[in-house]
């Protein structure tokens, strides 16, 4: 959280967004033995508990990837799905733009798009979709259990919903953009709708902080 100061303003904004996200489908039944989404959100908002952790997934080329593959780089981790009608495309566009704006420094940042719709988001579908944004974004999918484990580690919430009179489902999901440090440490999150410029600003601050601490060239 530290990195994203002025934090109070950010937290208030993020809380409002989170409340709005949850208000969309207040009656959605929770699966059994799942972490309570409201508590998960609260923990994330107030920096309680661990965020991030190991995952084992498959990228858009079909190759198995784990969190350890990305050590040494900052990670931008985003949970979403390719059929998402609204928030995901906007945020992915800004993430892609942030990479471009970072120029050569963009090489120190690896964005990950983790699908919360593993049934439809096969590696091929992900490859197609991500080619519209930025070729550097790694798309990840897996079994429903692998995806659920990764999302739980990041306190990311998602659930299937069936809009009225439609047989195609949508997925309600939190849209936080997580920033992880080069050793897999949690730095903080950007709320959905964060601009590329703001991401670049915070990421550059993080570069400087890590360089000062001697943890990056
Ligand atoms: Ni979305």
């Amino acid at each position: 959280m530290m990195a994203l100061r002025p934090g109070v303003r950010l937290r208030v904004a993020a809380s409002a967004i989170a409340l709005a996200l949850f208000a969309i489908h207040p009656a959605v039944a929770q699966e059994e033995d799942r972490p309570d989404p409201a508590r998960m959100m609260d923990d994330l908002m107030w920096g309680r508990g661990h965020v991030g952790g190991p995952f084992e997934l498959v990228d858009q080329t079909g190759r198995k990837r784990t969190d350890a593959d990305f050590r040494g780089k900052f990670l931008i981790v985003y949970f979403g799905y390719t059929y998402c009608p609204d928030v995901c495309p906007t945020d992915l566009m800004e993430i892609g733009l942030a990479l471009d704006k970072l120029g050569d420094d963009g090489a120190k940042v690896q964005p990950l798009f983790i699908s919360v719709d593993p049934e439809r988001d096969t590696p091929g579908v992900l490859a197609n979709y991500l080619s519209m944004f930025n070729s550097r974004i790694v798309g990840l999918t897996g079994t429903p259990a692998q995806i659920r484990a990764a999302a739980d580690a990041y306190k990311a919430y998602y659930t299937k919903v069936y809009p009225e009179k439609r047989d195609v489902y949508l997925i309600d999901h939190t849209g936080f953009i997580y920033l992880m440090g080069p050793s897999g440490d949690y730095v903080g999150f950007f709320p959905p709708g964060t601009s590329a410029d703001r991401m670049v600003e915070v990421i550059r601050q993080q570069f400087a902080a890590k360089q000062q601490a001697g943890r990056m060239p």
Side-chain angles (χ1 to χ4, degrees):
M1 297 296 294
M2 244 168 23
L4 301 187
R5 272 171 191 162
V8 174
R9 253 193 349 236
L10 182 84
R11 281 177 193 169
V12 169
S15 301
I17 290 161
L19 287 176
L21 288 174
F22 279 108
I24 299 169
H25 296 280
V28 170
Q30 243 176 273
E31 293 163 47
E32 305 261 324
D33 74 4
R34 301 244 32 262
D36 172 15
R39 218 196 73 198
M40 221 157 57
M41 177 60 52
D42 208 44
D43 286 352
L44 178 64
M45 262 347 135
W46 302 107
R48 282 196 292 258
H50 192 79
V51 177
F55 61 75
E56 194 180 304
L57 298 165
V58 174
D59 72 15
Q60 70 264 52
T61 69
R63 192 174 142 207
K64 196 165 95 177
R65 307 301 288 262
T66 75
D67 54 300
D69 295 347
F70 304 105
R71 288 292 177 273
K73 287 189 178 188
F74 278 87
L75 294 183
I76 294 174
V77 182
Y78 188 75
F79 289 85
Y81 68 117
T82 68
Y83 288 78
C84 183
D86 39 55
V87 184
C88 290
T90 314
D91 284 336
L92 277 176
M93 225 174 63
E94 293 300 317
I95 290 168
L97 199 57
L99 270 193
D100 292 342
K101 284 173 180 256
L102 280 165
D104 289 346
D105 282 341
K108 298 180 207 164
V109 180
Q110 179 58 61
L112 304 180
F113 177 70
I114 303 181
S115 173
V116 290
D117 187 10
E119 278 174 54
R120 290 183 295 197
D121 286 343
T122 59
V125 169
L126 279 178
N128 235 329
Y129 182 71
L130 290 171
S131 69
M132 295 189 291
F133 296 95
N134 189 309
S135 59
R136 294 225 27 246
I137 301 174
V138 168
L140 296 169
T141 187
T143 66
Q146 285 172 325
I147 294 292
R148 183 58 79 183
D152 282 351
Y154 281 85
K155 304 187 192 298
Y157 165 81
Y158 65 97
T159 193
K160 249 187 217 180
V161 292
Y162 289 86
E164 261 179 80
K165 294 179 193 155
R166 288 183 61 185
D167 51 2
V168 184
Y169 64 85
L170 295 175
I171 295 183
D172 261 3
H173 67 98
T174 46
F176 298 104
I177 303 163
Y178 303 88
L179 183 62
M180 309 298 288
S183 37
D185 48 307
Y186 173 59
V187 175
F189 67 84
F190 301 103
T194 298
S195 71
D197 284 334
R198 176 65 182 144
M199 288 185 221
V200 168
E201 188 187 343
V202 170
I203 289 168
R204 287 210 184 279
Q205 285 165 6
Q206 284 302 310
F207 284 165
K210 296 278 181 207
Q211 272 163 356
Q212 246 174 3
R215 271 181 261 154
M216 250 178 80

